[in-house]
Amino acid sequence: IKEDDEMRRKEREVVKSEEIAEVLDSCKVCRLGVQDEDGVYIVPLNYGYVMENGVLTLYFHGAKEGKKMELIRKAPKVGFEIDGGRGLQEGDKACQYSYYFVSVIGKGTAQVVEDPEEKLHALEILMKHQTGKEFPEFKENPKLEKAVGILKVEAETYTCKKHQPAGIQ
């Protein structure tokens, strides 16, 4: 699901699902913006994701209670930002300098996952994304889901951009 807004630097837009997945795979932290009484509360979180037919779902784990969970229960509309691939692009003059990056930015609706099976599935997705490993203990000990809170964000809109040196994917 892509945003309808026109991207200013169209040559940097990434639209193929496989390339967006590569960006998501290469990053490990998502900044989640949640509405609070005074404005926006932003928190960096490790994540896992599923992308099926262009639909992006992000999963996060953390404490079952606290400011983030309380705010999401009150106002589930969120913004998110994921970035990586950073590096300085040098130039001969100041205005020729730039910065290399990859990013995914979007909006969606967050929900606290309560279903034990979905929580275990989310933990498997998260750990696989963060470590590249499978963890059989989630199947062997289903009570592990009781120890953590799980958030799920279904992206309603998102865009992906990439500015990388020639020859780097």
Side-chain angles (χ1 to χ4, degrees):
I1 301 169
K2 306 290 188 291
E3 289 205 32
D4 293 330
D5 298 338
E6 189 67 26
M7 186 175 289
R8 188 178 68 81
R9 298 292 302 263
K10 206 75 171 148
E11 75 278 6
R12 294 184 180 172
E13 183 176 23
V14 178
V15 295
K16 292 181 181 174
S17 292
E18 311 81 52
E19 291 180 38
I20 295 169
E22 288 175 10
V23 170
L24 292 166
D25 289 342
S26 71
C27 301
K28 300 298 182 193
V29 176
C30 176
R31 287 154 196 86
L32 190 64
V34 182
Q35 186 67 43
D36 75 4
E37 311 78 41
D38 300 321
V40 179
Y41 175 72
I42 300 172
V43 59
L45 300 163
N46 292 108
Y47 71 95
Y49 77 95
V50 174
M51 188 171 4
E52 294 175 345
N53 301 318
V55 177
L56 175 61
T57 303
L58 299 167
Y59 290 100
F60 309 95
H61 75 352
K64 293 198 275 186
E65 299 300 326
K67 183 173 184 171
K68 171 181 68 226
M69 297 299 243
E70 181 183 313
L71 292 173
I72 285 172
R73 286 185 176 103
K74 286 182 190 175
K77 293 293 186 183
V78 299
F80 60 88
E81 187 273 347
I82 299 166
D83 68 80
R86 298 178 281 280
L88 182 64
Q89 175 185 343
E90 296 191 25
D92 293 328
K93 298 178 181 177
C95 63
Q96 293 174 330
Y97 278 73
S98 186
Y99 208 69
Y100 297 121
F101 68 91
V102 294
S103 68
V104 176
I105 297 172
K107 297 180 237 179
T109 301
Q111 64 184 37
V112 178
V113 177
E114 302 291 352
D115 178 67
E117 283 185 33
E118 187 176 4
K119 285 178 76 175
L120 286 170
H121 182 64
L123 286 167
E124 289 173 342
I125 291 167
L126 248 154
M127 292 304 294
K128 177 75 173 176
H129 176 72
Q130 292 295 319
T131 68
K133 299 177 186 177
E134 303 282 342
F135 289 86
E137 58 261 37
F138 294 123
K139 288 181 177 59
E140 296 164 3
N141 186 359
K143 292 182 180 180
L144 288 173
E145 62 84 15
K146 294 183 184 315
V148 297
I150 298 290
L151 288 176
K152 172 181 171 178
V153 172
E154 294 179 345
E156 293 158 8
T157 61
Y158 63 92
T159 57
C160 182
K161 283 176 84 171
K162 178 166 51 172
H163 176 48
Q164 294 289 283
I168 302 284
Q169 296 299 323

